[in-house]
Amino acid sequence: MNSRTYLPFALPEIGEEEIAEVVDTLRSGWITTGPKSKRFEENFAAAIGGGVEAVSCNSATAGLHLALEALGIGAGDQVLTTPYTFTASAEVIRYLGADPVFADIDPRTFNLDPTAATAAAGRCERLKALLPVHIAGQCCDMDALGTLAGKLRVPVLEDAAHAFPATFAGRPVGTLSEVTVFSFYATKTITTGEGGMVVSRDERLLRRVRTMRLHGIDRDVFDRYVSAAPQWYYEVVAPGFKYNMPDIAAALGIQQLKKARRFLERRIAIARTYSEALAGLPLRTPVVARPADVHSWHLYIIQLELESLTIDRARFIELMAEQGVGCSVHFIPLHLQPYWRDRYNLKPDSFPVALDAYQRAVSLPIYTRMTDVDVERVIRAVRSIATRFAR
Ligand SMILES: *Cc1c(COP(=O)(O)O)cnc(C)c1O
């Protein structure tokens, strides 16, 4: 890529293997949920390990909704989560008529702060679950959150949309709590275009997820057509949803999963290069709280030292774009968004750490299709802007 072309903030890496697998699906005659989604589920569960099972769905948002429903969350219940996330993490709580209770974040990791979570939980009367989000692919402090959940006797649902593959204290994300949901959205670490996966060891919970994923029918379409029961017979046991993953998408997932290790290594290498090259500038590079953990590096978020710069974050991103580098912001905290702000009467300083992190945050491009030249170009752009506008 030469210096005149624009480096997008994110791009998927789709190879001939994915294309061939999709074509095979198209030719097979079975394009909706069927043998490929089943295979993707089995392969994904095996990649996580630890005896988990996986249920595919058409997005992580759908997966989070299904997981909360299967945990029995309903009207008037409360679910504790973070304001520093994408709105999907919290909207699913509202789908069920329940209310999110927000707690502030750790300024170093942007993850739910266990101390703030404990304080917020203490003010709840109907708290039914914890919903931590592993921001950027760095696992939350699951020891502290697990201890809190144990004391409260509530389950933990992890939003691991950023965190495949990642570990906490040597254990893979997906094996750490009652249920975990991964995303295969176009920009995520592996992609099916749109897609998600619900992972758990709890067979009863997963049975409910499978049922609600497809209209409340107690077996999925594929099972209906291959088992011994009459092909036309099914039973509806609940008013379910339409959240199944088509085989066209699962075909992509099967091949992406095979590349996950290489993808991870590339992301780690880019993150390392950035952190070394950007040291000493008026900005903070991402803090790795537990270096022994696997960090999936879905995002690389720098924090501008605004006190040492003459420009704000918006101008910084504009200048990066002028140098041909696409950047983004993760995240606009939910308590600043009109819906959440007004529904729960939140003020900007309701979560001061999340507010401060947001005002400084710039996400740099980090994806496997970036060449070393692309990485250098991002570094040069950041360096030149941060140096030129240093106080
Ligand atoms: C991407 C994302 C989701 C939603 O994933 P979809 O598969 O697009 O539904 C949920 N939570 C977080 C933190 C995300 O970044």
Side-chain angles (χ1 to χ4, degrees), residues 83 87 90 100 102 332-351:
T87 193
F102 299 110
I332 305 167
L334 299 184
H335 71 291
L336 303 184
Q337 297 288 6
Y339 172 73
W340 299 110
R341 180 193 65 204
D342 298 345
R343 181 71 178 72
Y344 296 102
N345 193 23
L346 301 169
K347 305 278 175 274
D349 66 358
S350 297
F351 306 103

